[in-house]
Amino acid sequence: MTDHQPGRHMAAEIDQQPAIFADLVARRSSIAAVADAIRARQPRFVLLAARGSSDHAALYAKYLTEVLLQLPAGLVSPSTTTLYGAQPDLRDVLLVSVSQSGGSPDLLEVTESARARGALTVAVTNTADSPLNGAAELSVDVGAGVEQAVAATKTYSATLLALYLLVDAIRGGNGAHAAALGDQAAAALELSADAVAEAVQRYRFVDRVLTTGRGYSLPSALEAALKLAETSYLAARAYSGADLLHGPVAAVDPETAVLAITSAGRGGDALHDVLDVVHGRGADVVAVGSAADEVSAVLRIPVPETAEEVAPILEILPVQRLAHGLALARGGDPDSPRGLKKVTRTR
């Protein structure tokens, strides 16, 4: 019987991300081939199907689709198919199913049903021989390798990058904004280490955390809340900065910890006024991202600046380190959170 060091797998998988990014960028041509097939079909609408962390990646792809491709996009509610048997006409629709394992029964059923109703179906998974890949007409291999920790880290960020490379190639791009992400990821992990350690000490005894972001960074805020909840058992809730001021801000007080994701660009700019209000109510604000120095906060966790459209791929890295550190500081094991399994099967 061997002793398991708590958090060993999650720590290792966080550290693997720079190399995974570099490898994925090097394999861009295989993703571009899928993009060529999509472009030839000229879809008029994009649907994205996912669960859990993959759902946050799908939301990122929704922003990419609407902004970079100028196509309407929506997130699928799998239960409309699996529980209610809805069968809408999906001709001229692109359905992208995002799943790390490719084994969730509901996403498999959604993909099979959509293909039968005329959609062009694409699976984006980390498991090349998964049932989901077999059900979809086209597939993109995330290529992050086996992930042993229950909490998704490298599979999440690699999925973001794969989705970016796919959307960028559909618009005719050459992946230029992603070319240096391997080196930038290594820099992000190194530059943020001290501030993350300080944030662990600040949040060690907190009971509830509010996370927020705007635009491309909203998926990062959602993923941050999930990571903190599943690894440290915190009551974590994510809000768009736009929604935060519409009511939830009433619950913000000096006992509230706020994790703000803010990177250079329009989304980060739009968060300034929100954080001024939150900070003014006495909340303990920790800002993460390339624009962290520009907002009201008590602690700033830096990330190298990139084009805004790829910022979520980097800004999530110190958040993963924070979740890992907090779990250990609070006596948990982020590799094996209580009550969780690596693959969750839903219908």
Side-chain angles (χ1 to χ4, degrees), residues 45-50 54-62 73-78:
F45 194 94
V46 179
L47 288 173
L48 297 131
S54 293
D55 200 36
H56 305 151
L59 179 59
Y60 169 63
K62 182 178 186 293
L75 301 177
V76 169
S77 299

Side-chain angles (χ1 to χ4, degrees), residues 260-284:
I261 314 296
T262 175
S263 289
R266 296 183 183 183
D269 291 345
L271 201 61
H272 284 200
D273 291 346
V274 176
L275 295 182
D276 286 344
V277 173
V278 170
H279 188 74
R281 294 183 65 87
D284 196 88

Side-chain angles (χ1 to χ4, degrees), residues 190-213:
E190 181 178 355
L191 291 171
S192 64
D194 290 344
V196 167
E198 185 176 345
V200 168
Q201 296 308 309
R202 293 191 74 90
Y203 281 1
R204 182 174 182 174
F205 299 109
V206 76
D207 291 322
R208 62 189 178 98
V209 177
L210 184 153
T211 68
T212 188

Side-chain angles (χ1 to χ4, degrees), residues 31-44:
I31 297 176
V34 176
D36 289 342
I38 293 171
R39 192 165 52 245
R41 294 277 287 270
Q42 298 183 320
R44 293 293 305 140

Side-chain angles (χ1 to χ4, degrees), residues 100-347:
Q100 295 150 20
S101 68
S104 183
D106 53 354
L107 296 184
L108 180 61
E109 186 173 340
V110 165
T111 303
E112 291 173 336
S113 177
R115 187 172 181 179
R117 287 179 278 123
L120 171 60
T121 52
V122 180
V124 179
T125 78
N126 192 47
T127 310
D129 59 352
S130 70
L132 187 62
N133 285 52
E137 186 173 340
L138 302 168
S139 63
V140 172
D141 182 8
V142 168
V146 175
E147 190 170 60
Q148 297 186 28
V150 170
T153 54
K154 65 178 183 177
T155 55
Y156 174 74
S157 60
T159 298
L160 295 183
L161 178 52
L163 287 166
Y164 173 75
L165 291 172
L166 179 63
V167 173
D168 178 64
I170 293 172
R171 68 165 170 175
N174 61 4
H177 290 318
L181 282 176
D183 290 339
Q184 290 169 324
L189 290 170
E190 181 178 355
L191 291 171
S192 64
D194 290 344
V196 167
E198 185 176 345
V200 168
Q201 296 308 309
R202 293 191 74 90
Y203 281 1
R204 182 174 182 174
F205 299 109
V206 76
D207 291 322
R208 62 189 178 98
V209 177
L210 184 153
T211 68
T212 188
R214 285 293 308 270
Y216 286 117
S217 292
L218 175 58
S220 301
L222 292 163
E223 178 65 8
L226 176 60
K227 282 292 161 285
L228 293 172
E230 69 182 351
T231 60
S232 298
Y233 317 135
L234 288 167
R237 181 71 184 269
Y239 291 100
S240 162
D243 293 329
L244 184 57
L245 299 184
H246 281 260
V249 73
V252 173
D253 58 29
E255 300 299 313
T256 307
V258 176
L259 184 67
I261 314 296
T262 175
S263 289
R266 296 183 183 183
D269 291 345
L271 201 61
H272 284 200
D273 291 346
V274 176
L275 295 182
D276 286 344
V277 173
V278 170
H279 188 74
R281 294 183 65 87
D284 196 88
V285 179
V286 174
V288 179
S290 61
D293 287 341
E294 302 172 13
V295 298
S296 300
V298 297
L299 178 63
R300 296 170 175 87
I301 301 177
V303 174
E305 184 173 340
T306 63
E308 185 180 9
E309 64 201 45
V310 297
I313 300 166
L314 294 186
E315 64 196 13
I316 199 63
L317 304 184
V319 172
Q320 294 170 349
R321 278 262 182 89
L322 175 61
H324 176 268
L326 274 175
L328 295 179
R330 294 162 70 92
D333 181 0
D335 284 349
S336 303
R338 63 192 183 206
L340 296 181
K341 297 180 180 179
K342 186 61 183 171
V343 179
T344 301
R345 299 184 179 277
T346 54
R347 184 176 185 276

